[in-house]
Amino acid sequence: MAGERRRRGGDGPRERPRERLRDRDPKLRQQQKPQRGSGRGRTALALTAAAAALALCLAAAAAGWKRWSEASRLVTPHPAPPAVPPGSTGPLASPTYFWGTYRPHVYFGMKTRSPRAVVTGLMWLQHGGNLRHTSEPNDGVSRYGWLMHDGENFGVQEIRDEGLLLRTEFVKQPGGDHGGDWSWRVTAKMEGKGPAPLLSLFFYVATDGQGTLRPVLENGTRLAAVAGTAEELGDFTLTFLPPTGEGGEGPKYASYNFLAAGVPGLHRLTDLVRHSLRESSVFSPPGRPRRRFFGVSSTGGLPGEPPRGQLLLHQVTLEPPAVLEVTLESGSAAGARQGRLAGPVLSAALAQHAAAFERRFEDTFGLGTRGVSLPQRRFAQAALSEMLGGIGFFHGRSLLRSEHREEPLPGMESVLFTAVPSRSCFPRGFLWDEGFHLLLLARWDAALARDILAHWLDLLNADGWIPREQILGEEARSRVPPEFVLQHSETANPPTLLLALERLLPDAPLPYLRRLFPRLRSWFEWLNRTQAGPEPFTFRWRGRDPDPERFLNPKTLSSGLDDYPRASHPSAQERHLDLRCWMALGARVLAALAERLGEPHAPYRDMAAALSDNALLERLHWAPELGTFADFGNHSSAVALRWHRPAPVPGRPPAAPQLRREVREAPRPQFVAALGYVSLFPLLLQLLRADSPRLPALLGSMSSEQQLWTPFGLRSLARDSPLYLRRNTEHDPPYWRGSVWVNINFLALRALHGYARAEGPHRERAAKLYRELRQNLVANVFRQYEATGFLWEHYRDSDGTGQGCHPFAGWSALVVLAMAEDY
């Protein structure tokens, strides 16, 4: 628009000399001036009006074209060749990763890396309790998580639910053209004494728009197998073996039900099964009392919802303990198969994979060599495994909103292979989380990390934007509050993928890097263009909350630090310190990548040098009155939330009081009085020189108990900051205002480890702080895991208690790298 204004403004002066000539020449004036009341004058006026109307129409059309063009680019894929080569994720090109536990939102299930995959899964019901299927926050399941998972062929999980212990295990076996075979084993037993309640286990297979399933019944009642075919799988057979007693004690008595129904969508599987349950089935073991239980019965589907796929479900009802096995055998692997992967053969395979996992874990992280205790090693294995077991494959369209268009648009059709922050709260991809995830995944399996990174970069649109939250498909969307579904086109996220690329860069194959480079370059240019600040070498997060009077401090979701205090009154004059530091990292990594590929790298080197210039950094972000680095903006510290009762409206009942912000002192341009994680970013991303005179102040804040130091890690906001532990609204408790977060503590450890090894006057102080911080962080995360069975989203700074979502084996699993001192 500015360019248009400049062009239009340039047209005027070129006409003015002729106008002045007419003013001086009476003949020209007379020729140009129409006679009042003449037909020629009326015609001229009409022509002038028509020309004006035409100009308005053309301007409106141009504006409409511009809006259409911008909206079109919003949903148009980036023109560069894909980072994930076509066909590279299929069963022939990538058999190891074709099948997997790629449904992180369910307690146990598998699918292929296919857009319309056949899915399999487990539900269970303790009669008298709740049907379990999808992992939900606060659903009463006391513990669950992967104890071992290699990300490829094997996994072991334990679930504790109201006295029930479920152990789920799987093994994959390569062969054929469709990803080979796999087998499950589910062991159920009760913890404690007393009569065992009836337990129903539901094993299912479902399609979503393509593929067919055919039931294979035994005695007309038991679903013994499913014969299926699908485009990606070819022919396959899923077999449900009869249950046995624990330890191979022989057959176990069970009652069987099966369900065959149409599926309106995979997001409705739980509702479909729940709708089909009837308390009309009877469990009648020989010589024992008969008991009624809820069994599935064919219902034809959910009323009013047309099916687009199939569901076949096998219900087994029994008294624990019991062992049940399920095998999937690919039709294409039949010739190479030595026998069914079940019973003793499955037991042997599980033992071999478990031993191989433990050897690989020690070879990778060396915790045993470092003298780490066995319980802590088991904990570290579980942390890594929960992240690997939380990798998912998603397909669908995001819902996007452009700042130039009121109505949301469905985004381009996309697929995403990614780890997720939390199987219960956030079972989908988050852009800035994934960079932290990949730091750990790259250490375990560099090829897997490279694949995930490439999938993320293929989400780029024509402008170079990646939506910060990936909500692809109905299953993913069903787990998201409506207010968070829309992704806004001006909103960025920290480019943490570049943290991971920096680690992967030395050993990554050149063809892979060449596919990534144009996309990384476009993404970085988008950030540089759209998040530019008010003056050179400054940056500002767009998309701060548009309703400032509702919040004590308007949130900045784009920064990843949500409610971390920023300028109280959002404006275009803000300078955000953390974003500047992220851009410095990005320029540094792109310079190294370009240099390795033989591409022009001087612009990135120059930008990295400017953004790392300590003198310029101080001029823009050092706050002498605060003694730290800080954001700058239109700010007032004299703000508070107060209850206000809206003015009465005649004829209506009194409105409920509202908590609104009061500003007791007018804002002014100044540094934001908030000492915390943002203040540390020049240290966290190691932009400060080892001999910087500002380094002692940051080290002092980190080691001060009145500010950031706790026995559990560094808190996110200093105790003496104005908004420490302050609520943002009535229903919006503090989030990044005091809690201990593992991802930022990991960056702090990484930086301190670097400063402790660098020549400089502060290396001993950095080394001491590093040792103590590492001990505090690792000890508390392990202690909370032992007490609760979970990694947590963040930890309370007063006593170290886990808070927020659980399990949260996203960036909290970085504790494994801290234990290994692998930075």
Side-chain angles (χ1 to χ4, degrees):
M1 293 298 291
E4 287 185 9
R5 284 197 295 271
R6 283 196 294 271
R7 287 194 296 273
R8 291 171 186 167
D11 290 342
R14 289 196 293 270
E15 294 296 320
R16 286 179 192 134
R18 189 170 6 173
E19 291 169 4
R20 287 196 295 269
L21 180 63
R22 289 171 185 162
D23 290 341
R24 288 195 300 269
D25 191 328
K27 292 181 180 179
L28 286 175
R29 261 202 325 268
Q30 189 173 5
Q31 289 175 3
Q32 296 296 322
K33 185 177 179 181
Q35 298 297 317
R36 182 177 299 174
S38 69
R40 183 185 302 171
R42 288 194 297 272
T43 302
L45 288 172
L47 289 172
T48 302
L54 178 60
L56 287 174
C57 290
L58 289 174
W65 168 263
K66 187 172 187 294
R67 286 194 299 272
W68 179 89
S69 176
E70 288 168 343
S72 176
R73 291 179 64 81
L74 179 68
V75 299
T76 300
H78 195 273
V84 180
S88 63
T89 63
L92 287 175
S94 184
T96 301
Y97 299 115
F98 184 61
W99 272 106
T101 51
Y102 301 145
R103 305 181 66 208
H105 63 292
V106 301
Y107 286 105
F108 188 45
M110 291 176 68
K111 64 180 287 188
T112 58
R113 293 202 297 179
S114 310
R116 296 291 181 190
V118 172
V119 304
T120 60
L122 168 72
M123 305 181 193
W124 74 92
L125 172 65
Q126 290 191 75
H127 291 274
N130 295 314
L131 180 67
R132 307 292 196 192
H133 179 214
T134 57
S135 170
E136 305 284 349
N138 306 312
D139 62 1
V141 177
S142 57
R143 285 191 178 208
Y144 63 96
W146 294 98
L147 305 179
M148 293 183 180
H149 197 305
D150 65 3
E152 299 175 4
N153 300 307
F154 154 81
V156 178
Q157 178 182 218
E158 282 192 355
I159 304 168
R160 286 178 164 84
D161 178 24
E162 298 177 349
L164 171 68
L165 173 62
L166 285 178
R167 184 178 177 91
T168 69
E169 301 167 282
F170 79 91
V171 169
K172 288 160 52 183
Q173 181 172 269
D177 297 336
H178 296 90
D181 301 343
W182 54 254
S183 292
W184 292 356
R185 176 178 287 167
V186 177
T187 304
K189 60 183 179 181
M190 301 304 299
E191 297 182 297
K193 297 180 180 179
L198 277 184
L199 171 69
S200 285
L201 296 168
F202 306 84
F203 300 93
Y204 67 84
V205 56
T207 64
D208 187 23
Q210 66 97 8
T212 58
L213 307 174
R214 181 174 59 84
V216 178
L217 297 180
E218 182 182 88
N219 299 325
T221 57
R222 191 179 90 83
L223 184 63
V226 173
T229 185
E231 182 179 341
E232 300 91 350
L233 292 177
D235 295 331
F236 64 91
T237 302
L238 191 70
T239 303
F240 306 109
L241 300 174
T244 63
E246 190 179 15
E249 295 175 358
K252 180 84 177 182
Y253 178 84
S255 292
Y256 301 103
N257 300 70
F258 80 93
L259 173 63
V263 181
L266 297 180
H267 63 298
R268 299 287 275 151
L269 284 176
T270 309
D271 294 331
L272 177 58
V273 174
R274 188 180 289 119
H275 177 73
S276 74
L277 289 172
R278 302 285 186 274
E279 194 178 15
S280 56
S281 298
V282 177
F283 182 78
S284 55
R288 302 277 300 281
R290 294 159 55 91
R291 286 188 277 177
R292 288 190 174 277
F293 65 90
F294 285 92
V296 293
S297 59
S298 293
T299 61
L302 290 169
E305 299 188 43
R308 68 172 190 228
Q310 286 179 272
L311 168 70
L312 288 179
L313 179 142
H314 173 55
Q315 178 182 358
V316 186
T317 303
L318 45 68
E319 293 176 326
V323 177
L324 298 95
E325 294 178 357
V326 178
T327 67
L328 181 136
E329 293 172 312
S330 170
S332 65
R337 187 176 299 119
Q338 298 299 311
R340 176 169 286 170
L341 188 60
V345 177
L346 177 56
S347 297
L350 287 166
Q352 290 169 3
H353 279 286
F357 173 82
E358 296 209 350
R359 287 193 303 270
R360 180 178 173 185
F361 188 87
E362 179 58 27
D363 291 344
T364 304
F365 300 108
L367 298 188
T369 304
R370 303 178 66 86
V372 175
S373 69
L374 181 59
Q376 284 195 320
R377 296 203 304 272
R378 293 281 185 246
F379 153 69
Q381 290 176 357
L384 170 69
S385 298
E386 184 67 6
M387 178 180 282
L388 289 164
I391 291 174
F393 184 85
F394 303 92
H395 166 256
R397 299 176 186 268
S398 294
L399 196 60
L400 310 178
R401 170 164 285 170
S402 166
E403 55 187 329
H404 304 290
R405 181 187 173 101
E406 289 187 9
E407 293 300 316
L409 292 170
M412 57 194 181
E413 189 170 2
S414 303
V415 297
L416 179 61
F417 187 49
T418 182
V420 304
S422 169
R423 292 168 61 190
S424 61
C425 299
F426 307 116
R428 55 193 180 276
F430 285 77
L431 179 55
W432 95 295
D433 292 65
E434 195 60 19
F436 290 110
H437 300 164
L438 290 177
L439 289 174
L440 178 57
L441 293 177
R443 190 69 184 88
W444 177 253
D445 187 338
L448 175 64
R450 290 195 300 265
D451 195 10
I452 289 173
L453 176 57
H455 273 84
W456 271 97
L457 292 177
D458 277 347
L459 298 172
L460 219 67
N461 76 353
D463 288 323
W465 173 61
I466 304 175
R468 59 179 284 271
E469 190 171 342
Q470 293 296 317
I471 309 168
L472 302 176
E474 291 172 325
E475 278 194 289
R477 192 170 298 172
S478 68
R479 302 292 299 272
V480 183
E483 63 268 26
F484 296 117
V485 169
L486 272 181
Q487 302 300 299
H488 296 265
S489 64
E490 77 278 9
T491 301
N493 227 199
T496 58
L497 295 180
L498 294 169
L499 275 176
L501 180 62
E502 194 170 36
R503 168 166 280 213
L504 291 165
L505 190 56
D507 301 316
L510 283 178
Y512 170 80
L513 295 176
R514 291 194 189 282
R515 292 196 304 272
L516 261 56
F517 182 65
R519 293 176 172 273
L520 287 165
R521 180 175 55 199
S522 184
W523 183 36
F524 186 75
E525 289 171 357
W526 181 88
L527 286 165
N528 197 28
R529 181 177 68 252
T530 65
Q531 309 298 301
E535 56 184 285
F537 302 112
T538 65
F539 296 89
R540 175 172 68 89
W541 295 113
R542 301 308 199 267
R544 293 196 63 191
D545 199 282
D547 185 9
E549 301 312 311
R550 180 183 163 207
F551 298 99
L552 183 64
N553 188 272
K555 289 186 289 190
T556 313
L557 295 176
S558 53
S559 72
L561 304 178
D562 295 22
D563 68 342
Y564 185 94
R566 307 286 180 168
S568 61
H569 291 67
S571 73
Q573 300 309 307
E574 286 181 83
R575 306 196 295 258
H576 291 140
L577 171 62
D578 53 333
L579 180 51
R580 188 183 193 279
C581 295
W582 285 122
M583 294 301 290
L585 167 79
R588 182 178 80 211
V589 175
L590 274 167
L593 174 59
E595 189 170 9
R596 184 165 178 214
L597 293 175
E599 299 281 348
H601 61 273
Y604 299 115
R605 286 278 178 220
D606 293 343
M607 184 176 182
L611 292 176
S612 301
D613 181 88
N614 280 206
L616 182 59
L617 177 65
E618 286 190 33
R619 182 177 72 79
L620 293 169
H621 285 287
W622 180 259
E625 66 275 22
L626 304 175
T628 192
F629 291 99
D631 285 348
F632 185 89
N634 193 32
H635 183 64
S636 172
S637 292
V639 295
L641 293 175
R642 293 284 182 268
W643 288 104
H644 290 268
R645 185 174 293 279
V649 177
R652 295 186 181 178
Q658 298 178 350
L659 201 59
R660 307 293 287 181
R661 184 173 78 168
E662 285 186 353
V663 181
R664 297 192 295 268
E665 182 179 306
R668 59 182 176 83
Q670 61 179 312
F671 287 107
V672 178
L675 172 62
Y677 285 167
V678 165
S679 315
L680 300 180
F681 261 83
L683 178 150
L684 296 176
L685 297 184
Q686 300 176 67
L687 302 180
L688 286 184
R689 299 188 311 270
D691 61 352
S692 168
R694 302 306 181 193
L695 195 54
L698 296 189
L699 296 175
S701 296
M702 293 168 74
S703 58
S704 168
E705 294 184 5
Q706 282 300 112
Q707 294 185 316
L708 303 181
W709 186 263
T710 81
F712 320 107
L714 300 176
R715 57 169 65 93
S716 45
L717 189 63
R719 289 177 63 185
D720 55 7
S721 286
L723 297 189
Y724 170 68
L725 292 186
R726 298 279 297 279
R727 299 183 72 88
N728 214 31
T729 70
E730 178 187 3
H731 305 292
D732 199 1
Y735 200 42
W736 292 85
R737 297 185 181 178
S739 291
V740 174
W741 294 77
V742 173
N743 62 328
I744 304 298
N745 274 268
F746 176 80
L747 291 181
L749 288 172
R750 179 175 174 265
L752 290 170
H753 190 260
Y755 285 117
R757 291 168 174 249
E759 290 295 331
H762 314 299
R763 63 184 304 180
E764 290 186 9
R765 187 178 183 187
K768 179 176 183 295
L769 192 57
Y770 166 77
R771 290 191 298 270
E772 294 175 357
L773 177 60
R774 175 176 171 272
Q775 168 62 28
N776 287 355
L777 181 72
V778 171
N780 185 65
V781 175
F782 170 66
R783 184 166 52 247
Q784 293 301 313
Y785 178 83
E786 288 284 280
T788 66
F790 295 112
L791 290 168
W792 292 79
E793 186 180 8
H794 51 98
Y795 296 84
R796 192 158 58 207
D797 67 327
S798 59
D799 59 9
T801 299
Q803 297 188 118
C805 290
H806 65 281
F808 195 92
W811 60 43
S812 293
L814 287 171
V815 68
V816 178
L817 292 180
M819 295 170 75
E821 297 191 270
D822 185 349
Y823 305 110

